[in-house]
Amino acid sequence: MSGKLLIIGFGPGSFEHITKRAREAIGESEVIIGYNTYVDLIAGLLTEQQVVRTGMTEEVSRAQEAVRQAKQGKKVAVISSGDAGVYGMAGLVYEVLMEQGWTRENGVQVEVIPGISAVHSAGSLLGAPIMHDSCTISLSDHLTPWELIAKRVEAAGMADFVIALYNPRSGRRTRQIVETQRILLKHRSPSTPVGIVKSAYRDREHVVVTTLADMLNHDIGMLTTIIIGNSATKLYDGLMITPRGYQRKYTLGAETQPLKPHQRLKSEAEPWALEQLDGQDLNESLEEFDEEDELMDAEVIESKEPSQLKSSPNLSPSNSLQLAMEALQLVSKGTEEVSFEFDNKLTATQSIFEFAVSPGIANKKLTAAQLCALGEIVGDRGDIEYSPHHQLIVRVQTNNPNQITSDLSALGLLLSPIGDVAQIKACDFCNLEKGESIPYAEAIHHRIGNLEVPKELKIGFNGCGMACYGAVQQDIGIVYRKEKFDLFLGGKTVGRNAHAAQPVAEGIAPEELVDLVGRIVERYQKEGHPNERFHKFFKRVKEIEGYRHQEMVGFVIENAICGD
Ligand code: SAH
């Protein structure tokens, strides 16, 4: 005579969402023990079973009664909504068993039957909010000290988890959700998407999509699960969608263009991966976690069970985005339109395109048409930042960077990548009036402008001996004077110990200039250490193109770090 405990999660509450095994288990039980409401929810599945109904707070007596009856040799079902192992009866039943010295070998049999938990049923009604790392937190402080709950809310908020709040509010417990919102607002934007789902897949189902700032203005009760998005979660057409990876930033230049799906897993595309952080201060790298991507489900499936995918003739996806696209294609019966719409609308597939814009090498004036075009491209969600380098830095979400570059270039704007590239910064040649040397500045730009170098390199170019645009304070300075050029190397452009570049040559013939500067920058590109600024490189190699580095005289002043 061996009894059995069947601990059953019956899902959110609708018949269709009860698993087959859960239904069978209810069918094969002799006794059903559950909270009144839950027994009502599965009433349609009951046949001959003896039913033990209890009030909500009588969980312990429910568990004890179940164990007692199982020990008598009965098959006893203990039912929980959602999953029995998530704030449900499973743990409690095991606790009662443990107390009684139960062992798997000698005690009654126990089977825990999984169910769809509220986080997943609520998630499905909201769109796809749980796509990235997430956690569940119950705000009920009946069994858990509030201090611990608050600590977990704080930690989850800080770590950018998507958060599902269970038991958010009851008639008496009303302050917990207010406090939770306050804590989360310290770490997340007030506009963070929030989903409030009441009675998922039950009669009075109600779904609200709102924001972290506004969430308390909606009905929240015992039957509600709240899902708080992470910093990447988007609102789209009344849905909450969390992109699978963090948004990737990219800028101009072939190497940094958006990655094609098949390139995503190459190690060079994942500079933030743990394996790639060797030699870096891990703490420092963690602070910069703004970009991420990882293995997609479909790839995992593909490697484990190739037959599943091969059975569909038109599906050979290499990742889930591609899989989703193909599925969409199938439902739209191959019409291009839907997949195009999808592509343009779903921000999850968009990356942040970041680049610098200026009116030209010498020209410093922006036209109304150029400003309008920039404004339109940036819209409400992108931004334009005025930089100290005669440039506007533009950041915009897009999946079509080429369109942006061609539109802006057509209006005469000069676009440059951001990052460790060589940039030539010229003066305005007195409103282009003293413009004789402009062609040389442009020729230098064509030769080495936007070249990737160990660290950002600013080449100042001024059209007369006044050098009023500060050419001599740059990494490399070039000043046009009396139809010849003066050259300055190794300015330290930032820091308390900033200094001008050293004058290394006067009267360089115009026909020599472009090649000379080209060779200097190319040598720095080849021989500079990663992140080594040009002035340090000059000091280390001591000589470039025959120009010797000279130690600075004067008293030593310590440099300070950012924020000091
Ligand atoms: N074992 C359950 C959770 C029980 S705790 C599960 O896995 O889902 C009770 C809390 O679950 C409720 O306060 C509510 O936050 C959530 N919940 C359970 N069923 C729900 C439903 N149908 N819709 C929304 N939230 C639900």
Side-chain angles (χ1 to χ4, degrees):
M1 202 175 70
S2 71
K4 181 170 180 182
L5 282 162
L6 296 138
I7 309 172
I8 305 169
F10 62 81
S14 60
F15 185 78
E16 305 86 76
H17 296 97
I18 305 178
T19 67
K20 181 163 171 282
R21 179 63 199 132
R23 274 183 260 152
E24 280 169 7
I26 291 168
E28 73 196 45
S29 317
E30 295 156 82
V31 184
I32 306 274
I33 299 186
Y35 160 53
N36 281 317
T37 313
Y38 297 168
V39 175
D40 291 344
L41 280 168
I42 58 146
L45 292 170
L46 299 178
T47 48
E48 309 277 86
Q49 297 95 331
Q50 177 201 341
V51 177
V52 181
R53 291 167 170 270
T54 65
M56 190 171 59
T57 52
E58 297 157 51
E59 290 135 337
V60 179
S61 54
R62 241 180 284 160
Q64 285 166 337
E65 177 64 10
V67 172
R68 198 178 61 77
Q69 297 226 27
K71 277 183 157 176
Q72 290 171 2
K74 291 189 193 151
K75 281 195 164 182
V76 183
V78 181
I79 55 169
S80 275
S81 73
D83 183 273
V86 180
Y87 314 112
M89 289 298 292
L92 210 47
V93 171
Y94 272 120
E95 278 183 64
V96 171
L97 288 170
M98 286 192 298
E99 228 169 57
Q100 301 181 0
W102 168 89
T103 60
R104 283 210 259 184
E105 210 183 329
N106 301 319
V108 293
Q109 259 194 74
V110 180
E111 181 183 347
V112 180
I113 294 146
I116 302 170
S117 187
V119 58
H120 300 121
S121 34
S124 69
L125 293 170
L126 290 166
I130 323 277
M131 282 296 292
H132 217 275
D133 300 339
S134 64
C135 65
T136 63
I137 301 178
S138 166
L139 295 192
S140 168
D141 51 5
H142 289 311
L143 300 170
T144 311
W146 173 251
E147 243 174 44
L148 179 60
I149 299 173
K151 199 163 156 188
R152 288 180 181 165
V153 171
E154 180 101 47
M158 197 186 299
D160 205 27
F161 280 103
V162 174
I163 306 168
L165 299 174
Y166 282 63
N167 300 305
R169 176 150 73 186
S170 70
R172 274 181 301 141
R173 281 187 309 103
T174 54
R175 281 180 48 213
Q176 287 77 357
I177 186 66
V178 179
E179 188 57 13
T180 297
Q181 182 205 37
R182 188 191 65 77
I183 297 171
L184 291 176
L185 278 169
K186 290 199 286 181
H187 303 285
R188 278 183 214 181
S189 153
S191 61
T192 303
V194 167
I196 302 177
V197 179
K198 186 178 172 194
S199 298
Y201 299 101
R202 295 189 194 172
D203 277 351
R204 276 183 280 276
E205 176 182 291
H206 189 61
V207 180
V208 171
V209 173
T210 173
T211 60
L212 189 54
D214 196 45
M215 61 184 269
L216 297 182
N217 298 326
H218 300 272
D219 183 24
I220 297 172
M222 287 284 283
L223 282 172
T224 309
T225 297
I226 300 179
I227 297 186
I228 319 262
N230 70 13
S231 60
T233 305
K234 305 271 172 300
L235 284 182
Y236 178 88
D237 199 14
L239 296 172
M240 271 173 82
I241 298 157
T242 303
R244 175 70 189 265
Y246 281 87
Q247 279 180 321
R248 186 186 293 281
K249 275 191 198 166
Y250 58 98
T251 174
L252 294 167
E255 309 78 357
T256 46
Q257 284 306 306
L259 296 160
K260 300 273 183 311
H262 67 275
Q263 297 173 314
R264 297 166 73 111
L265 297 178
K266 286 193 176 168
S267 53
E268 58 271 30
E270 303 180 332
W272 48 81
L274 184 57
E275 246 105 278
Q276 314 255 359
L277 298 179
D278 288 352
Q280 289 185 36
D281 180 345
L282 197 54
N283 286 327
E284 212 171 83
S285 314
L286 283 171
E287 280 163 21
E288 294 176 9
F289 77 117
D290 63 341
E291 304 172 88
E292 194 207 307
D293 210 342
E294 60 184 54
L295 267 175
M296 293 280 171
D297 289 342
E299 277 148 343
V300 180
I301 294 167
E302 202 172 32
S303 58
K304 280 191 189 150
E305 296 180 45
S307 57
Q308 275 191 357
L309 290 171
K310 282 194 185 123
S311 61
S312 322
N314 293 327
L315 290 180
S316 55
S318 62
N319 68 31
S320 27
L321 180 60
Q322 214 172 321
L323 186 72
M325 288 299 212
E326 300 211 19
L328 208 61
Q329 203 94 56
L330 291 176
V331 292
S332 63
K333 299 196 188 70
T335 53
E336 284 290 288
E337 229 172 283
V338 175
S339 81
F340 175 74
E341 277 236 316
F342 172 81
D343 207 9
N344 272 308
K345 275 187 175 175
L346 190 74
T347 47
T349 65
Q350 296 185 342
S351 297
I352 295 171
F353 182 32
E354 189 180 43
F355 57 95
V357 180
S358 69
I361 298 285
N363 183 20
K364 298 284 176 277
K365 289 182 176 156
L366 289 157
T367 66
Q370 289 170 337
L371 286 170
C372 287
L374 275 172
E376 213 156 280
I377 282 165
V378 166
D380 291 338
R381 305 183 64 188
D383 60 56
I384 302 182
E385 182 183 331
Y386 178 65
S387 90
H389 304 303
H390 311 180
Q391 292 176 317
L392 298 174
I393 310 296
V394 178
R395 291 181 202 92
V396 60
Q397 277 188 11
T398 181
N399 48 21
N400 196 355
N402 295 339
Q403 187 66 47
I404 294 179
T405 45
S406 66
D407 287 355
L408 294 177
S409 304
L411 286 166
L413 287 165
L414 183 68
L415 271 60
S416 324
I418 306 255
D420 293 328
V421 292
Q423 185 207 337
I424 179 149
K425 307 195 319 173
C427 65
D428 71 348
F429 301 87
C430 297
N431 257 329
L432 306 180
E433 271 170 31
K434 296 185 189 163
E436 299 143 61
S437 60
I438 292 176
Y440 296 99
E442 287 174 345
I444 291 172
H445 174 71
H446 285 128
R447 166 112 186 221
I448 44 91
N450 301 341
L451 194 72
E452 266 195 59
V453 284
K455 190 74 191 168
E456 60 171 31
L457 181 78
K458 307 294 183 202
I459 304 167
F461 190 110
N462 282 186
C464 81
M466 278 287 287
C468 65
Y469 263 70
V472 306
Q473 283 148 34
Q474 303 302 323
D475 296 296
I476 297 175
I478 301 160
V479 177
Y480 181 69
R481 197 173 53 99
K482 299 189 179 152
E483 291 165 29
K484 296 238 162 74
F485 292 95
D486 302 336
L487 182 66
F488 302 78
L489 294 181
K492 184 174 183 305
T493 57
V494 293
R496 290 202 310 148
N497 52 7
H499 56 74
Q502 297 177 10
V504 294
E506 275 191 311
I508 295 168
E511 60 276 14
E512 288 169 20
L513 179 82
V514 180
D515 273 344
L516 175 66
V517 175
R519 288 194 304 271
I520 292 171
V521 174
E522 280 152 10
R523 178 161 172 214
Y524 170 55
Q525 181 192 38
K526 278 200 205 85
E527 297 176 24
H529 297 153
N531 279 323
E532 184 178 40
R533 287 197 182 266
F534 182 77
H535 71 93
K536 284 200 174 156
F537 169 73
F538 189 26
K539 187 173 175 171
R540 178 169 63 82
V541 300
K542 296 192 177 67
E543 170 280 326
I544 301 175
E545 288 294 313
Y547 305 128
R548 293 209 67 79
H549 177 267
Q550 289 178 10
E551 282 303 328
M552 295 284 293
V553 280
F555 69 94
V556 176
I557 181 165
E558 280 282 309
N559 207 6
I561 55 159
C562 188
D564 223 14

mmCIF file of all heavy atoms in Angstrom, residues 94 154 175 194 211 253 301 349 372 473 482 491-492 512 518 526:
data_model
loop_
_atom_site.group_PDB
_atom_site.id
_atom_site.type_symbol
_atom_site.label_atom_id
_atom_site.label_comp_id
_atom_site.label_asym_id
_atom_site.label_seq_id
_atom_site.Cartn_x
_atom_site.Cartn_y
_atom_site.Cartn_z
ATOM 1 N N TYR A 94 7.356 19.481 0.839
ATOM 2 C CA TYR A 94 8.670 18.889 1.129
ATOM 3 C C TYR A 94 9.135 19.242 2.529
ATOM 4 O O TYR A 94 9.752 18.432 3.223
ATOM 5 C CB TYR A 94 9.717 19.355 0.100
ATOM 6 C CG TYR A 94 9.770 18.478 -1.140
ATOM 7 C CD1 TYR A 94 9.522 19.004 -2.403
ATOM 8 C CD2 TYR A 94 10.107 17.122 -1.045
ATOM 9 C CE1 TYR A 94 9.589 18.204 -3.538
ATOM 10 C CE2 TYR A 94 10.173 16.318 -2.174
ATOM 11 C CZ TYR A 94 9.916 16.861 -3.420
ATOM 12 O OH TYR A 94 9.977 16.068 -4.526
ATOM 13 N N GLU A 154 16.171 46.273 -4.762
ATOM 14 C CA GLU A 154 17.292 47.181 -5.032
ATOM 15 C C GLU A 154 18.335 46.498 -5.930
ATOM 16 O O GLU A 154 18.785 47.049 -6.929
ATOM 17 C CB GLU A 154 17.925 47.586 -3.692
ATOM 18 C CG GLU A 154 19.098 48.520 -3.795
ATOM 19 C CD GLU A 154 18.710 49.967 -3.488
ATOM 20 O OE1 GLU A 154 18.029 50.177 -2.474
ATOM 21 O OE2 GLU A 154 19.102 50.847 -4.266
ATOM 22 N N ARG A 175 1.595 49.371 1.129
ATOM 23 C CA ARG A 175 2.779 50.245 1.044
ATOM 24 C C ARG A 175 3.930 49.617 0.268
ATOM 25 O O ARG A 175 4.783 50.307 -0.272
ATOM 26 C CB ARG A 175 3.256 50.587 2.463
ATOM 27 C CG ARG A 175 2.406 51.682 3.090
ATOM 28 C CD ARG A 175 2.900 51.989 4.476
ATOM 29 N NE ARG A 175 4.353 52.163 4.516
ATOM 30 C CZ ARG A 175 5.111 51.823 5.561
ATOM 31 N NH1 ARG A 175 4.570 51.301 6.628
ATOM 32 N NH2 ARG A 175 6.413 52.019 5.522
ATOM 33 N N VAL A 194 6.073 49.098 -18.022
ATOM 34 C CA VAL A 194 5.589 48.217 -16.953
ATOM 35 C C VAL A 194 4.275 47.591 -17.405
ATOM 36 O O VAL A 194 3.403 48.286 -17.934
ATOM 37 C CB VAL A 194 5.382 49.019 -15.645
ATOM 38 C CG1 VAL A 194 4.589 48.214 -14.624
ATOM 39 C CG2 VAL A 194 6.714 49.433 -15.041
ATOM 40 N N THR A 211 3.906 52.775 -17.426
ATOM 41 C CA THR A 211 5.322 53.062 -17.178
ATOM 42 C C THR A 211 5.603 52.968 -15.677
ATOM 43 O O THR A 211 4.689 52.983 -14.859
ATOM 44 C CB THR A 211 5.685 54.496 -17.619
ATOM 45 O OG1 THR A 211 4.875 55.403 -16.859
ATOM 46 C CG2 THR A 211 5.444 54.712 -19.095
ATOM 47 N N GLY A 253 32.448 53.264 -41.069
ATOM 48 C CA GLY A 253 33.675 52.487 -41.245
ATOM 49 C C GLY A 253 33.330 51.027 -41.359
ATOM 50 O O GLY A 253 32.580 50.506 -40.561
ATOM 51 N N ILE A 301 19.125 24.876 -30.501
ATOM 52 C CA ILE A 301 18.279 23.797 -31.010
ATOM 53 C C ILE A 301 18.964 23.124 -32.187
ATOM 54 O O ILE A 301 19.070 21.914 -32.262
ATOM 55 C CB ILE A 301 16.917 24.338 -31.495
ATOM 56 C CG1 ILE A 301 16.129 24.891 -30.316
ATOM 57 C CG2 ILE A 301 16.117 23.242 -32.183
ATOM 58 C CD1 ILE A 301 14.934 25.703 -30.731
ATOM 59 N N THR A 349 15.413 45.110 -33.348
ATOM 60 C CA THR A 349 16.428 44.740 -34.320
ATOM 61 C C THR A 349 17.301 45.952 -34.666
ATOM 62 O O THR A 349 18.198 45.856 -35.465
ATOM 63 C CB THR A 349 15.802 44.217 -35.620
ATOM 64 O OG1 THR A 349 15.093 45.298 -36.215
ATOM 65 C CG2 THR A 349 14.879 43.066 -35.367
ATOM 66 N N CYS A 372 17.656 70.935 -40.695
ATOM 67 C CA CYS A 372 16.331 70.302 -40.763
ATOM 68 C C CYS A 372 16.493 68.805 -40.993
ATOM 69 O O CYS A 372 15.831 67.983 -40.347
ATOM 70 C CB CYS A 372 15.485 70.887 -41.894
ATOM 71 S SG CYS A 372 14.900 72.516 -41.512
ATOM 72 N N GLN A 473 47.958 73.120 -30.367
ATOM 73 C CA GLN A 473 47.601 72.401 -29.136
ATOM 74 C C GLN A 473 47.099 70.988 -29.400
ATOM 75 O O GLN A 473 46.673 70.299 -28.493
ATOM 76 C CB GLN A 473 46.515 73.186 -28.395
ATOM 77 C CG GLN A 473 47.098 74.392 -27.676
ATOM 78 C CD GLN A 473 46.137 75.544 -27.605
ATOM 79 O OE1 GLN A 473 44.948 75.331 -27.496
ATOM 80 N NE2 GLN A 473 46.670 76.750 -27.703
ATOM 81 N N LYS A 482 53.472 81.977 -44.978
ATOM 82 C CA LYS A 482 54.365 82.359 -46.074
ATOM 83 C C LYS A 482 54.533 81.233 -47.089
ATOM 84 O O LYS A 482 55.645 80.839 -47.442
ATOM 85 C CB LYS A 482 55.715 82.780 -45.525
ATOM 86 C CG LYS A 482 55.615 83.994 -44.601
ATOM 87 C CD LYS A 482 56.985 84.517 -44.250
ATOM 88 C CE LYS A 482 56.853 85.724 -43.346
ATOM 89 N NZ LYS A 482 57.974 85.918 -42.455
ATOM 90 N N GLY A 491 51.291 67.291 -28.998
ATOM 91 C CA GLY A 491 50.552 68.061 -27.994
ATOM 92 C C GLY A 491 49.840 67.109 -27.047
ATOM 93 O O GLY A 491 49.456 66.004 -27.435
ATOM 94 N N LYS A 492 49.711 67.530 -25.798
ATOM 95 C CA LYS A 492 48.898 66.738 -24.859
ATOM 96 C C LYS A 492 47.628 67.546 -24.683
ATOM 97 O O LYS A 492 47.627 68.597 -24.062
ATOM 98 C CB LYS A 492 49.646 66.536 -23.547
ATOM 99 C CG LYS A 492 48.862 65.638 -22.590
ATOM 100 C CD LYS A 492 49.668 65.308 -21.351
ATOM 101 C CE LYS A 492 48.911 64.349 -20.442
ATOM 102 N NZ LYS A 492 47.584 64.799 -20.065
ATOM 103 N N GLU A 512 55.565 68.545 -50.070
ATOM 104 C CA GLU A 512 56.036 67.481 -49.181
ATOM 105 C C GLU A 512 55.058 67.192 -48.033
ATOM 106 O O GLU A 512 55.108 66.138 -47.403
ATOM 107 C CB GLU A 512 57.379 67.875 -48.531
ATOM 108 C CG GLU A 512 58.524 67.850 -49.495
ATOM 109 C CD GLU A 512 59.756 68.491 -48.882
ATOM 110 O OE1 GLU A 512 59.836 68.608 -47.638
ATOM 111 O OE2 GLU A 512 60.628 68.897 -49.667
ATOM 112 N N GLY A 518 51.167 62.001 -43.674
ATOM 113 C CA GLY A 518 50.671 60.636 -43.903
ATOM 114 C C GLY A 518 51.602 59.607 -43.300
ATOM 115 O O GLY A 518 51.168 58.693 -42.602
ATOM 116 N N LYS A 526 50.816 51.904 -37.060
ATOM 117 C CA LYS A 526 51.462 50.576 -37.037
ATOM 118 C C LYS A 526 52.138 50.281 -35.710
ATOM 119 O O LYS A 526 52.061 49.173 -35.194
ATOM 120 C CB LYS A 526 52.535 50.519 -38.131
ATOM 121 C CG LYS A 526 51.973 50.206 -39.487
ATOM 122 C CD LYS A 526 53.053 49.677 -40.429
ATOM 123 C CE LYS A 526 52.657 49.954 -41.870
ATOM 124 N NZ LYS A 526 53.042 51.306 -42.345
#
